Amino acid sequence: MARSSGPQVGDPAPEFALKDQNNQLVRLADFRGHKTVLLVFYPLAFTGTCRGELAEIQRRLPEYHGDAVHTLTVSVDSVYSHKVFCTQEGFDFPMLADFWPHGEVARSYGVFNPVAGFADRGTFVIDPAGVVRFAEHADPGATRDQAPWRAALAAAAGEPAGEARAVS
């Protein structure tokens, strides 16, 4: 599958402002200077693979969401779909709606699938300076291994867990 051009490791992360499941505006710039961001794109709420990946994020939330790291998940679903999904699944992290303009943020990160009309699976670790330190792009049906995310988060925090890298 041809991949869109998105930010690579070492590039500035594209800025965005999207509403979360509580209809609150979240800006990438809100984390600049003080938190690393784990940005996780997924195709659609209420689907099996997405549910499983997001449940794993919830299980590992202390690693993915705290004083130094903030996790943001993004799909083209609406704010209202995200609210129901979060409530049903017990997710305690922001789910951002890239609903309108449809998939604009996913496009800026190079993970929008124009044939399917939703984002592929994309993962980015963005350091407090706003620089991409890890980039991953997987097909919609693939299940991502989250171990590289944890290694990239550790590397962004300056811990000896490996080099930041790009994965396709």
Side-chain angles (χ1 to χ4, degrees):
M1 171 170 145
R3 308 242 184 220
S4 302
S5 177
Q8 304 299 309
V9 171
D11 290 346
E15 291 294 335
F16 62 83
L18 295 172
K19 290 193 175 181
D20 70 8
Q21 70 270 23
N22 297 312
N23 213 29
Q24 299 299 307
L25 192 64
V26 176
R27 294 175 187 85
L28 180 60
D30 294 341
F31 306 99
R32 182 73 44 85
H34 64 280
K35 286 200 179 192
T36 296
V37 172
L38 174 63
L39 183 62
V40 180
F41 289 90
Y42 63 97
L44 295 167
F46 304 103
T47 60
T49 302
C50 296
R51 181 179 279 123
E53 284 188 340
L54 296 171
E56 180 68 13
I57 290 171
Q58 182 66 40
R59 279 191 293 279
R60 294 184 171 274
L61 206 53
E63 296 172 70
Y64 292 146
H65 203 81
D67 291 339
V69 178
H70 198 84
T71 295
L72 302 172
T73 63
V74 182
S75 79
V76 297
D77 296 296
S78 72
V79 167
Y80 310 104
S81 293
H82 284 154
K83 183 66 172 181
V84 172
F85 193 38
C86 278
T87 300
Q88 284 183 355
E89 300 297 325
F91 296 146
D92 294 323
F93 47 82
M95 300 184 88
L96 306 181
D98 194 11
F99 184 74
W100 196 257
H102 188 73
E104 181 177 88
V105 175
R107 288 175 208 277
S108 73
Y109 278 81
V111 297
F112 188 76
N113 183 326
V115 174
F118 52 67
D120 287 338
R121 296 184 190 286
T123 313
F124 300 86
V125 171
I126 303 162
D127 72 15
V131 175
V132 174
R133 295 297 171 198
F134 174 86
E136 170 185 67
H137 186 158
D139 292 327
T143 300
R144 291 173 278 195
D145 176 5
Q146 294 183 14
W149 306 359
R150 293 188 297 279
L153 288 170
E159 297 171 12
E163 294 293 317
R165 62 190 178 93
V167 177
S168 284

